[in-house]
Amino acid sequence: MNSSPEDRRSARVGLAYDERMCLHATPDGESHPENPERIRAIWRKLEAEGIPDRCILLKIKEAEDAIIASVHTRNHIKLIRNISSKKFDSRRLRIASKLNSIYFNEGSSKAAYLAAGTVIEATENVANGNLDSAIAVVRPPGHHAEADEAMGFCLFNNVAIAASYLLNERAELGMRRILIVDWDVHHGNGTQNMFYSDPRVLYFSVHRFDFGSFYPAGSDGSHCMIGEDQGVGYNINVPWEHGQCGDADYLAVWDHILIPVAEAYNPDIILISAGFDAAMGDPLGGCCVTPYGYSVMLKRLMKFADGKIVLALEGGYNLNSLANSVFACAKTLLEGSPIVGNFEGRPFESTWRVINEVRNELKTYWPVFSIDLPKEILIANAERYPIQAGINSSSDSDVEKDLEPSNAINFSSNNVGDLILPLSKLNVDDGDFGELSPLRSQQNQPAPTENPKEVTTETCNDLFHWRSSLSKVDVWYGSYGSNMWKPRLLCYIEGGKVEGMRKPCRGAMDKTPPKDISWKSVPHRLFFARSYTDTWGHGGVAFLNPQSNINDKSYMCIYRITLEQFNDLLIQENVTTEHFESPLVDSRDIEFLVKNSFMSVESIKGGWYSNILYLGEQDGIPILTMTCSISDVEKFKSGELPVCAPAKAYENALLKGLLEGKELSSEEAIGYLKDAVARNL
Ligand code: X5A
Ligand code: ZN
């Protein structure tokens, strides 16, 4: 990729932190989840990773009462200003005890003013273009604080104050539509109420609701709370029915609610109420979002508002997941792409139900919600998991029930020709044999389809839809290298490593072992090339010449797996730090391959095993393998790319695989490999 130095300059990301926000602590030192160590842990991590050096450090200042007063009452401001003073010494405890989940000490006032002031400062500098984006590492948090009441560890509503400041005091900056994304695991009741009738602020919150029993409890967090008067439609709640939600659930909500709405709303700036108590391991949240999940959630918002995004810390009570998640977000803002990672699991059945309910409730205000969700999701999930209400959970610390994520139905018949999935468009250059253009250019090209109704705006870049579709299609994966040895192949499915491997594989998302194994030989030349891999170290790895020759014969072990698993294998075989859209190969590609048997398609531009070969079928199921591109073969021939005998460990794995096939004696197998190494291409 050629990018000018200009393009590559890393973003101007503001970072704000001040030790004085640690002054707010429990009065008599008892332990509390919302404690000073939270922001210290974040700062330590960021420093250890060199983040402050790459950011613009912001001046920290206390918020002014006049600004706070745009969302809080005089009374409330007076209380927070004075609560730390001497004359409140005797009343502090009593006042706090009358409030809901609040403590005060001599440092509370200072910290509260600094937290609000810091978020204002960060927001102003993003709005006026001094910064591209910013992270405010602040406490106490803010989103539960009501106009006239501190609650839920929150004193001033930092994010609401900053939003209101832009709208009312800094109109000249042109921030007329503000999107607040509240991904704290709790509902931000305070923020919702402050802008409930204001269309200039779109408040979006995804939170545990547990049918009204999760903090802050009651009906505020219900999806029926959609705003009022002028603001109707500008309040969106996505209420989880239970804990244990993770990346897959959050990203499904991004795909089907938040991103389409953000597209329609076209915000001028995005403020994130960035609590990290939905993170894996959080003691209050009981959810399991990973740093990678946060990073992707953030990245997907960065295409709006010219990237003007401010993250303001809210909750997050597991110091490690908190620090790691904030670090992931900082990296994402700086680098403009998500951190390296992958997804675990798929959305709960309840997640689709919640998504549907939210879309239904709001479809008169957001026409994009009137488009039906892809049928596969609804059918697959409804049939497998009949709707059951009332998974109950009553408090933060509940022991979670064993919940089963939703799974797609497993079809046993696999007539690929019958499955027309509107996922991608093959971009084939006639006559340019073997060097086909990348399969997809998702951003600009809507997929053509016979059935336009199924192509919603989000179908094309849907992270999960393709999985449920492709999990219903079986293929034979033809292996001819180390993957012939089943334990090694299983590393790509189940994760892990076997003898000789230096690095474990992460495995496929669907860890079901192959449904069947068979052996065959194909008229393609086996050879070893490239000179180093992270997995095996120095030495070549196996390739098949994509062009067949009747005089060539290679042995192949074929595994029956799903097309979804085949995609996960392809991703692992083509290690790359690039973030690419999935799936890499879908049913349409296979259709194309079956119809044009002599052709291959290139799935990941530049990947070592990017070239998908169709090798006929067995039991009516297509046999696919992956190898190098034809242009790579030319480079191996010319010496531009190295040919090289395999590493010993790699060869051993291959040998074990060959012998499992029982077609060759051990001498024959060794001879076969020797020959492949020795013969010129
Ligand atoms: C900001 C935040 C949680 C309050 C929970 C009270 N508050 N049980 O995460
Ligand atoms: Zn929270």
Side-chain angles (χ1 to χ4, degrees):
M1 237 176 292
N2 300 313
S3 55
S4 66
E6 186 94 3
D7 296 329
R8 252 189 269 127
R9 73 139 177 69
S10 85
R12 285 164 305 164
V13 178
L15 184 58
Y17 169 76
D18 190 318
E19 174 77 19
R20 288 174 298 164
M21 285 181 281
C22 296
L23 292 172
H24 173 61
T26 51
D28 24 24
E30 37 353 347
S31 68
H32 192 282
E34 205 295 282
N35 62 62
E37 288 311 310
R38 296 177 58 235
I39 56 175
R40 287 202 185 106
I42 294 172
W43 194 248
R44 261 200 311 277
K45 172 72 178 173
L46 296 182
E47 281 199 312
E49 300 286 351
I51 295 292
D53 293 340
R54 300 165 66 187
C55 293
I56 296 156
L57 300 186
L58 299 184
K59 254 205 331 275
I60 309 297
K61 40 188 190 194
E62 295 183 24
E64 289 167 27
D65 285 350
I67 295 172
I68 300 173
S70 66
V71 300
H72 287 291
T73 62
R74 288 277 152 213
N75 249 331
H76 180 67
I77 298 173
K78 229 166 79 191
L79 173 72
I80 302 303
R81 171 204 292 288
N82 296 325
I83 195 69
S84 297
S85 68
K86 265 248 152 332
K87 65 175 209 268
F88 270 78
D89 274 355
S90 55
R91 291 146 67 196
R92 218 174 276 135
L93 268 179
R94 199 170 42 83
I95 295 172
S97 72
K98 294 220 165 81
L99 294 164
N100 175 348
S101 307
I102 286 293
Y103 62 78
F104 292 122
N105 71 343
E106 324 74 48
S108 300
S109 303
K110 190 78 170 176
Y113 275 87
L114 285 170
T118 299
V119 178
I120 294 170
E121 182 75 7
T123 303
E124 173 162 21
N125 280 291
V126 170
N128 68 19
N130 284 343
L131 298 171
D132 293 316
S133 56
I135 302 185
V137 182
V138 297
R139 67 178 286 274
H143 71 154
H144 295 303
E146 296 279 2
D148 194 35
E149 191 184 340
M151 65 178 274
F153 317 156
C154 302
L155 304 186
F156 286 141
N157 195 320
N158 310 315
V159 166
I161 294 169
S164 164
Y165 173 70
L166 286 185
L167 292 171
N168 302 316
E169 321 270 334
R170 302 305 311 273
E172 77 278 9
L173 297 178
M175 302 290 107
R176 284 185 286 264
R177 283 181 305 274
I178 301 179
L179 169 61
I180 297 180
V181 174
D182 188 335
W183 73 39
D184 186 283
V185 79
H186 302 98
H187 179 239
N189 54 287
T191 316
Q192 165 169 304
N193 285 327
M194 285 163 178
F195 301 109
Y196 204 57
S197 55
D198 193 340
R200 299 173 304 171
V201 175
L202 170 49
Y203 177 70
F204 167 92
S205 175
V206 52
H207 47 267
R208 269 187 80 174
F209 186 60
D210 301 49
F211 305 97
S213 66
F214 200 76
Y215 192 87
S219 57
D220 271 13
S222 149
H223 66 288
C224 304
M225 304 299 284
I226 60 172
E228 66 189 7
D229 304 331
Q230 294 299 299
V232 68
Y234 296 92
N235 195 86
I236 303 180
N237 285 327
V238 180
W240 297 137
E241 295 180 359
H242 51 72
Q244 292 185 203
C245 293
D247 295 351
D249 304 286
Y250 278 80
L251 284 155
V253 166
W254 256 232
D255 276 338
H256 300 291
I257 298 175
L258 181 56
I259 300 301
V261 163
E263 263 154 18
Y265 186 63
N266 189 23
D268 297 311
I269 189 170
I270 300 179
L271 309 185
I272 303 183
S273 258
F276 295 93
D277 39 14
M280 180 138 42
D282 189 277
L284 267 56
C287 289
C288 48
V289 178
T290 68
Y292 178 66
Y294 284 115
S295 155
V296 175
M297 283 153 64
L298 176 56
K299 166 64 189 173
R300 301 200 69 200
L301 292 171
M302 286 169 68
K303 70 166 171 167
F304 301 104
D306 277 334
K308 287 184 162 57
I309 297 190
V310 179
L311 278 86
L313 183 65
E314 300 279 1
Y317 307 101
N318 174 314
L319 299 188
N320 284 320
S321 26
L322 176 59
N324 292 337
S325 303
V326 174
F327 169 53
C329 289
K331 226 166 124 57
T332 306
L333 290 180
L334 281 165
E335 292 166 14
S337 49
I339 63 165
V340 175
N342 70 316
F343 297 107
E344 288 294 335
R346 43 183 83 204
F348 286 111
E349 184 268 338
S350 65
T351 294
W352 297 118
R353 178 164 59 243
V354 169
I355 288 174
N356 262 311
E357 278 165 2
V358 173
R359 288 171 58 108
N360 234 329
E361 192 70 34
L362 284 152
K363 63 175 179 238
T364 37
Y365 310 100
W366 301 101
V368 64
F369 288 165
S370 301
I371 304 166
D372 288 337
L373 286 181
K375 266 204 282 307
E376 291 88 341
I377 293 174
L378 305 177
I379 297 167
N381 289 289
E383 287 189 8
R384 179 109 173 196
Y385 291 97
I387 293 176
Q388 37 148 206
I391 298 163
N392 51 13
S393 159
S394 51
S395 76
D396 290 337
S397 52
D398 255 0
V399 179
E400 301 301 337
K401 296 241 157 56
D402 252 357
L403 294 163
E404 257 194 282
S406 65
N407 268 307
I409 318 162
N410 280 316
F411 284 88
S412 45
S413 91
N414 288 282
N415 191 342
V416 172
D418 287 341
L419 279 158
I420 312 281
L421 300 171
L423 281 171
S424 75
K425 171 191 192 294
L426 260 181
N427 195 351
V428 180
D429 224 342
D430 271 355
D432 191 2
F433 182 78
E435 269 290 20
L436 304 174
S437 5
L439 294 183
R440 261 160 290 282
S441 54
Q442 309 226 350
Q443 300 303 344
N444 321 321
Q445 267 175 297
T449 172
E450 294 75 56
N451 189 356
K453 226 185 139 252
E454 283 190 18
V455 182
T456 66
T457 44
E458 59 271 0
T459 306
C460 297
N461 50 22
D462 181 341
L463 280 168
F464 298 101
H465 173 217
W466 68 269
R467 291 194 170 272
S468 70
S469 302
L470 300 196
S471 67
K472 296 167 202 157
V473 180
D474 276 6
V475 297
W476 291 102
Y477 158 60
S479 64
Y480 52 85
S482 63
N483 288 345
M484 291 182 93
W485 188 35
K486 192 178 174 195
R488 193 277 179 267
L489 183 272
L490 284 180
C491 298
Y492 279 139
I493 305 285
E494 294 168 347
K497 60 180 192 173
V498 289
E499 178 198 323
M501 287 168 69
R502 304 178 165 196
K503 269 182 48 180
C505 297
R506 43 169 209 265
M509 199 177 276
D510 174 359
K511 300 191 162 34
T512 316
K515 297 177 186 125
D516 207 350
I517 301 183
S518 183
W519 299 82
K520 62 185 273 117
S521 58
V522 293
H524 288 263
R525 183 48 221 293
L526 171 74
F527 64 99
F528 296 92
R530 305 275 186 173
S531 55
Y532 180 85
T533 58
D534 284 343
T535 309
W536 304 100
H538 294 283
V541 286
F543 290 98
L544 276 194
N545 189 335
Q547 275 171 312
S548 67
N549 182 323
I550 195 75
N551 300 314
D552 289 325
K553 179 177 177 181
S554 293
Y555 294 96
M556 192 167 258
C557 173
I558 64 175
Y559 296 95
R560 186 169 162 174
I561 59 178
T562 71
L563 188 47
E564 182 199 2
Q565 291 175 315
F566 183 79
N567 270 279
D568 281 341
L569 231 141
L570 197 53
I571 290 166
Q572 295 174 84
E573 280 280 23
N574 289 281
V575 216
T576 160
T577 52
E578 292 281 309
H579 184 75
F580 41 76
E581 298 284 342
S582 293
L584 298 158
V585 176
D586 66 21
S587 299
R588 285 190 168 231
D589 303 329
I590 295 186
E591 254 188 285
F592 169 84
L593 287 166
V594 171
K595 282 204 194 103
N596 308 273
S597 326
F598 60 94
M599 280 236 199
S600 54
V601 294
E602 183 151 10
S603 60
I604 306 180
K605 202 90 189 148
W608 287 14
Y609 289 98
S610 59
N611 195 13
I612 311 305
L613 241 49
Y614 169 68
L615 301 163
E617 54 176 43
Q618 177 155 314
D619 312 330
I621 294 162
I623 305 169
L624 304 177
T625 191
M626 54 188 81
T627 184
C628 61
S629 66
I630 292 197
S631 61
D632 278 357
V633 173
E634 293 312 314
K635 289 177 188 159
F636 292 134
K637 282 183 182 163
S638 73
E640 192 182 332
L641 288 172
V643 260
C644 178
K648 204 74 220 145
Y650 184 91
E651 191 177 350
N652 282 340
L654 210 174
L655 207 51
K656 284 189 221 170
L658 272 173
L659 293 177
E660 272 175 5
K662 298 202 169 66
E663 277 188 50
L664 299 177
S665 69
S666 140
E667 291 75 50
E668 286 168 328
I670 291 168
Y672 166 72
L673 293 184
K674 272 220 171 77
D675 186 58
V677 172
R679 224 182 323 157
N680 282 335
L681 251 177

